[in-house]
Every structure is written in structure tokens, then in C-alpha cells.
């Protein structure tokens, strides 16, 4: 009979290892994926060792308990196996499955022979071992010394990737060195306020790899993947809702920082603004106060053309900002980087004026 004291933990550890590998390769364990790879792989192989020892110690059991336990373990393994084959994001799943099968089949054959025909285990084991060694040696030898440079793998010639310059305003954050010093900011600035619609660009100025990973949902909102030394990661905030976002480094989870997405101030060009009148509002509000770094969004809800042009009807445009022609329904956004009072008007209807105060 099999040694169930060894087989039970063996099968349990193997199932846990398979589950962990599936979670890791599926990209679910965003913040500790490398650790999951190592831990689950080790757990699975330890489980296989226990399982093999349990079988060889007493042979394969045919009791109802053994059959029921084996069925449960096979169901778990096959369930996670099917998920791993169909729903994961790894490009190496088939390769890993092939390697495991190449190890499993000879092991099963040798285990069976050890139980049924122990006298031929040694020659069969020797043959399998020699065949494996010869296969490895031949593969490496032909791959390095005799095969073409592609080494049996087609090489795709890729065009050089040019740096993409973001069209929106960029807010820069540095990943600073000495990340292991407790209490020292890891991202600079550690708290950032970013106008909605801007692009945030993180630059890794450290000598090791880091990530920029949303911490609340473990990377569902944004996840840079590994950012190597000197590389950058950009995040367009136009699809993010206004609010507070905490993030961390998936490789070094003690590294953390926060940025706040702030909605731009809004000015509406109301209907009827093209007609001068004492009761008509031309820009709503006509005067607005914001902080340095904030944005203003002008929206034309009138049924005719307008502009929002810095300057005044008397002195003309001063070229600080200019929306050009805004058709009905169009918008224009501008970010104020300097303090001061900025007057503006509509060049098509110069009686329309407004003011932005930046503090």
C-alpha cells in the first residue's frame, strides 16, 4: 500500500504549487510576481518529491480513499491547468508544459517499473538518463557550433522605436535612488497634484528596476511593469477620474507615493454671447481664480463661433494663450504655469471679456 503520510502532503503541495504558478503567469499577482514564481515553483517540485516517495514506498493504492483523493487532486490540477493554457498572459506556457511532460513521463515509467519489475529499473533508468544527456548535449552543440545564427528560431527585424513625445502637458516625477532608506521619499515629488488631462512621466534615476503600480487594486488602474534604470513610464490622466491615487513599487512594496487628479476649472460661453446686452453673460464665470499649475477649460455652448484669446480689445492679443476659432460644442484647455492676472476676450465679438486670476 502507498504511504499516505507522504502522499497526502505531496499531492496538496503540488496542487498549491500549480495554483500559484497559474496566478503568477496569469499576471494576477502584480506586486510580487517574481516572488510568486520562485515560491510556487519550489512548492510544486517539493510536492512532486513527496508524491514520488509516497508511491515508491508502498506502491499505488487501489482503495476507495486513494481513488477519491486522486480524483480531487486531478480535478484541481486539470482545472488550473486548463486556465493556465487558455487565460494567462505568458508566452512560455506551452514550453513549460512540454518540459514538465518530458520530466513526468520518464518518471512515471521508472516508478511503475520499480514497483512491478524492479530488476529492470536500473538499465531502463540508465537508458533514459543517457538519452536525456545526449539530447541536451546535441541540442547545445548543434545550436552553438553548427546551426545558423538564428539557432532554429526565426528572428524578426524590428524597426528602431522612436521616443513618442506626449502631445499633452507633462508632469514629471523621479524614482529616486537609495530606495532602501526607511522614511526617505522614494518618488519625487512624493505627493503630486496633476491637472486632469495631463501626462504623468516617471523617470527611474535609480540603478535598479522599479515599477509604478496602483496599490488599491494591485495594478488594475495602472501598472508600468518593470522600469529599468534610466527608462520612463508615462500615464495619460484624461481617462482617470478626479481624486487621490496611491501607488507603490511592485518589486519593493515599501516604496509608495500619491498623486491627486484635479479637474480643470471650467468657463462656459453661453448662448446669446454673440449679441451685446446689458444682462447677457459672455463668459460664465467672467472672473475665476485658480492656482499655479491648474488648467482652465473653455466650452462653447453657443450656436455660433467664438474664441478665448489672452489680451484685451484695446491692446490686442498678447499671445499667452489663444483657443483659435471654437465652433459650437468645441472646448479649449490651457494650463497656467505663472501667477498673475490674465485678461482675455473674443476676437470675433470684442465686447466679450473675462479674467483669470492665478495665485
Amino acid at each position: 500500500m502507498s504511504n499516505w503520510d507522504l502522499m497526502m502532503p505531496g499531492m496538496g503541495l503540488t496542487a498549491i504549487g500549480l495554483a500559484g504558478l497559474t496566478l503568477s503567469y496569469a499576471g494576477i499577482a502584480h506586486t510580487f510576481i517574481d516572488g510568486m514564481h520562485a515560491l510556487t515553483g519550489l512548492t510544486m517540485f517539493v510536492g512532486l518529491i513527496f508524491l514520488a516517495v509516497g508511491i515508491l514506498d508502498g506502491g499505488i493504492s487501489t482503495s476507495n480513499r486513494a481513488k477519491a483523493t486522486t480524483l480531487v487532486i486531478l480535478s484541481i490540477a486539470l482545472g488550473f491547468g486548463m486556465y493556465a493554457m487558455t487565460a494567462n498572459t505568458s508566452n512560455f506556457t506551452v514550453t513549460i508544459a512540454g518540459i514538465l511532460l518530458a520530466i513526468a513521463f520518464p518518471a512515471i515509467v521508472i516508478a511503475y517499473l520499480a514497483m512491478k519489475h524492479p530488476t529492470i529499473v536500473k538499465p531502463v533508468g540508465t537508458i533514459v538518463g543517457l538519452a536525456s544527456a545526449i539530447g541536451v548535449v546535441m541540442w547545445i552543440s548543434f545550436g552553438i557550433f553548427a546551426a545558423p545564427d538564428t539557432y532554429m528560431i526565426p528572428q524578426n527585424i524590428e524597426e528602431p522605436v522612436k521616443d513618442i513625445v506626449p502631445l499633452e502637458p507633462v508632469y514629471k516625477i523621479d524614482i529616486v535612488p537609495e530606495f532602501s532608506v526607511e522614511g526617505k521619499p522614494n518618488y519625487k515629488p512624493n505627493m503630486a497634484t496633476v491637472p486632469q488631462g495631463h501626462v504623468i512621466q516617471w523617470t527611474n534615476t535609480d540603478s535598479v528596476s522599479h515599477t509604478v503600480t496602483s496599490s488599491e487594486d494591485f495594478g488594475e488602474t495602472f501598472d508600468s511593469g518593470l522600469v529599468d534604470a534610466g527608462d520612463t513610464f508615462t500615464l495619460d490622466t484624461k481617462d482617470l477620474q478626479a481624486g487621490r491615487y496611491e501607488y507603490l513599487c511592485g518589486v519593493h512594496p515599501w516604496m509608495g507615493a500619491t498623486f491627486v487628479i484635479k479637474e480643470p476649472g471650467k468657463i462656459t460661453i453661453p448662448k446669446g454671447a454673440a449679441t451685446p446686452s446689458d444682462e447677457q453673460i459672455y463668459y460664465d464665470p467672467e472672473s475665476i481664480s485658480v492656482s499655479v499649475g491648474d488648467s482652465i477649460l473653455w466650452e462653447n455652448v453657443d450656436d455660433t463661433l467664438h474664441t478665448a484669446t489672452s489680451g484685451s480689445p484695446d491692446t490686442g492679443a498678447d499671445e499667452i494663450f489663444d483657443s483659435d476659432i471654437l465652433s459650437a460644442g468645441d472646448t479649449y484647455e490651457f494650463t497656467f504655469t505663472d501667477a498673475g492676472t490674465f485678461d482675455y476676450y473674443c476676437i470675433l465679438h470684442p465686447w466679450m471679456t473675462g479674467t483669470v486670476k492665478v495665485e
Side-chain angles (χ1 to χ4, degrees):
M1 296 294 291
S2 301
N3 188 334
W4 283 92
D5 290 337
L6 293 174
M7 288 188 62
M8 291 295 289
M11 288 188 285
L13 288 172
T14 302
I16 293 171
L18 286 171
L21 283 175
T22 301
L23 293 175
S24 297
Y25 283 109
I28 297 174
H30 293 287
T31 58
F32 53 98
I33 187 167
D34 292 333
M36 287 290 288
H37 285 173
L39 177 61
T40 55
L42 178 62
T43 304
M44 186 181 68
F45 282 109
V46 170
L48 289 173
I49 292 171
F50 273 101
L51 181 59
V53 172
I55 293 174
L56 294 176
D57 184 65
I60 298 175
S61 176
T62 57
S63 66
N64 290 333
R65 182 177 67 171
K67 293 177 181 178
T69 304
T70 303
L71 181 61
V72 171
I73 299 300
L74 285 176
S75 300
I76 295 173
L78 289 174
F80 278 101
M82 290 298 295
Y83 179 82
M85 292 294 292
T86 58
N88 73 88
T89 58
S90 172
N91 296 323
F92 304 102
T93 303
V94 177
T95 302
I96 293 171
I99 293 173
L100 292 176
L101 289 175
I103 296 172
F105 279 127
I108 293 171
V109 171
I110 292 174
Y112 176 80
L113 292 175
M115 181 179 61
K116 297 292 186 179
H117 305 284
T119 57
I120 63 173
V121 169
K122 187 173 182 179
V124 171
T126 303
I127 292 172
V128 172
L130 288 175
S132 301
I134 292 171
V136 172
V137 171
M138 293 294 287
W139 177 269
I140 295 175
S141 299
F142 279 101
I144 295 177
F145 302 110
D149 292 339
T150 56
Y151 193 22
M152 303 177 70
I153 300 176
Q155 301 294 312
N156 296 324
I157 301 176
E158 297 182 357
E159 295 291 334
V161 179
K162 298 181 179 179
D163 292 335
I164 300 175
V165 179
L167 298 178
E168 304 298 334
V170 176
Y171 190 102
K172 296 184 178 181
I173 299 176
D174 289 334
I175 304 175
V176 298
E178 299 183 16
F179 63 90
S180 61
V181 178
E182 186 175 357
K184 184 174 182 179
N186 312 121
Y187 299 89
K188 185 178 180 181
N190 203 51
M191 170 64 77
T193 300
V194 183
Q196 192 175 41
H198 285 208
V199 171
I200 307 177
Q201 182 182 78
W202 284 267
T203 301
N204 185 5
T205 63
D206 199 3
S207 58
V208 299
S209 299
H210 295 284
T211 79
V212 178
T213 305
S214 56
S215 55
E216 182 177 357
D217 53 13
F218 302 105
E220 291 296 329
T221 303
F222 56 88
D223 186 11
S224 65
L226 287 178
V227 181
D228 296 328
D231 287 350
T232 61
F233 167 64
T234 57
L235 176 66
D236 193 341
T237 65
K238 65 182 180 182
D239 295 326
L240 295 179
Q241 296 181 354
R244 179 187 180 97
Y245 293 85
E246 296 181 353
Y247 61 94
L248 50 75
C249 172
V251 184
H252 314 98
W254 60 87
M255 295 175 56
T258 304
F259 65 83
V260 176
I261 300 298
K262 185 176 182 180
E263 289 184 346
K266 189 173 182 180
I267 297 175
T268 302
I269 302 176
K271 289 186 177 182
T275 303
S277 171
D278 292 339
E279 298 180 355
Q280 178 64 45
I281 297 176
Y282 303 116
Y283 293 101
D284 187 15
E286 293 181 347
S287 179
I288 189 172
S289 297
V290 296
S291 300
V292 173
D294 287 352
S295 299
I296 296 292
L297 179 73
W298 283 266
E299 182 180 11
N300 183 12
V301 299
D302 198 6
D303 52 8
T304 189
L305 307 177
H306 293 286
T307 77
T309 305
S310 61
S312 69
D314 296 331
T315 60
D318 57 16
E319 299 183 353
I320 296 177
F321 62 87
D322 186 8
S323 66
D324 292 327
I325 301 297
L326 295 176
S327 300
D330 284 353
T331 60
Y332 168 66
E333 185 174 351
F334 181 77
T335 301
F336 291 86
T337 57
D338 298 314
T341 300
F342 300 88
D343 296 323
Y344 65 94
Y345 69 108
C346 173
I347 60 175
L348 302 178
H349 312 98
W351 56 87
M352 298 174 54
T353 60
T355 303
V356 177
K357 297 179 181 179
V358 184
E359 300 174 348

